[in-house]
Amino acid sequence: MFENIKSESTRRLIEVRETIKYIRISENRKRVHPPNIAITSMKGLFFVQLYGIYEYTLSSCISTTLQIISNENIKISQFRPRFLSIALNNDIVSLTMIGNEKKWERRWKFFDLFDQDNIINFPNDLIPTDGKNIRYKQLESIWNSFSIQEPILPRPEIGGRIQELVDLRNAIAHGNESPSEIGKRFTPDDLQKRFEDINEFCTYCIMVFQNYIENKHYLKPAT
């Protein structure tokens, strides 16, 4: 299943790479001042497109991982404690949604789950973050919730690239800056470097979640 994510992520990344190639060729053919607004807009929209791939890759890895685990029919007592924050998410949320009249009954019912030690099936559409765009803080929340053992980033420098990617994508998406205003700050070489770094993270992310499933790191260590 992770091979499908890798294939689709790669296909989308190739589109971005070809866009950079087109921008480079266009700028080399005819250097005009001020620069062609279509090309500078394309350079700005590069960040929107690249963020979409970054988010697609991460969210697909999460949903696939949750689907695989849910299908394994695992009991509560077998999971690592932190993973239960995901597996029992709906039950945990319901604790905060109940009125005072029934709050204790709901708490007893929740803790009865541990005595009953039932098999847990859960939806695969949960991303364990605060719901904001995925910066390092959100990645940290995901890694902690899954109890992933590998580092969050393949290289610390990529954290800055992700921050920049989210900031520029949001600036365009929220109308704070136009694509051409952002695009004129970057050369094709600048875009290529950012492409390579996000490509590296996407490849790393797939590897991390695939390794997580293969080694069953969501289960308590054998005693």
Side-chain angles (χ1 to χ4, degrees):
M1 296 177 77
F2 289 96
E3 284 302 314
N4 293 336
I5 299 172
K6 185 176 181 179
S7 296
E8 179 59 18
S9 180
T10 299
R11 185 189 69 78
R12 297 186 186 194
L13 285 163
I14 289 171
E15 290 181 359
V16 176
R17 188 181 65 195
E18 291 301 308
T19 298
I20 297 172
K21 186 185 298 184
Y22 177 81
I23 291 169
R24 189 186 302 278
I25 291 171
S26 299
E27 288 195 343
N28 288 340
R29 274 181 186 163
K30 187 176 182 181
R31 296 190 176 277
V32 295
H33 297 282
N36 185 303
I37 192 169
I39 298 301
T40 55
S41 292
M42 286 180 68
K43 288 193 288 185
L45 291 171
F46 158 89
F47 293 96
V48 177
Q49 190 176 11
L50 193 60
Y51 178 83
I53 299 168
Y54 159 71
E55 186 175 277
Y56 160 79
T57 303
L58 181 61
S59 62
S60 295
C61 284
I62 292 171
S63 63
T64 296
T65 296
L66 291 177
Q67 181 179 341
I68 291 170
I69 297 173
S70 183
N71 290 342
E72 289 184 348
N73 297 322
I74 299 170
K75 292 184 177 181
I76 290 177
S77 61
Q78 295 175 275
F79 284 116
R80 288 177 181 265
R82 281 197 178 183
F83 186 79
L84 289 174
S85 66
I86 297 175
L88 296 177
N89 176 69
N90 290 343
D91 297 282
I92 294 169
V93 170
S94 72
L95 289 175
T96 66
M97 303 295 289
I98 198 75
N100 284 334
E101 290 183 359
K102 295 187 177 181
K103 71 177 182 180
W104 288 104
E105 289 88 342
R106 186 65 193 88
R107 292 180 189 183
W108 300 331
K109 186 176 179 182
F110 174 76
F111 284 103
D112 283 345
L113 294 172
F114 295 87
D115 275 338
Q116 296 161 3
D117 199 20
N118 292 329
I119 290 171
I120 307 178
N121 296 109
F122 43 87
N124 63 356
D125 58 354
L126 174 66
I127 297 180
T129 71
D130 55 9
K132 296 180 180 179
N133 291 123
I134 304 169
R135 295 179 168 85
Y136 183 85
K137 179 182 177 182
Q138 285 70 37
L139 291 175
E140 191 174 41
S141 177
I142 293 166
W143 257 243
N144 283 333
S145 297
F146 278 95
S147 294
I148 296 174
Q149 299 174 16
E150 287 88 353
I152 297 172
L153 303 173
R155 290 185 292 114
E157 298 83 0
I158 291 180
R161 293 293 195 213
I162 289 173
Q163 180 69 39
E164 177 191 62
L165 179 66
V166 175
D167 288 345
L168 296 181
R169 177 266 177 192
N170 284 351
I172 294 172
H174 298 157
N176 296 326
E177 293 187 82
S178 70
S180 62
E181 287 173 325
I182 288 174
K184 66 185 180 183
R185 304 174 199 164
F186 299 92
T187 67
D189 286 343
D190 294 333
L191 301 185
Q192 183 66 34
K193 290 175 185 175
R194 286 152 177 80
F195 168 82
E196 289 170 359
D197 286 344
I198 298 303
N199 183 15
E200 181 181 351
F201 176 81
C202 289
T203 301
Y204 175 74
C205 179
I206 295 169
M207 181 275 293
V208 164
F209 278 93
Q210 186 168 7
N211 180 64
Y212 181 83
I213 286 294
E214 290 174 354
N215 291 284
K216 297 184 181 295
H217 286 158
Y218 44 91
L219 298 178
K220 290 180 180 178
T223 56

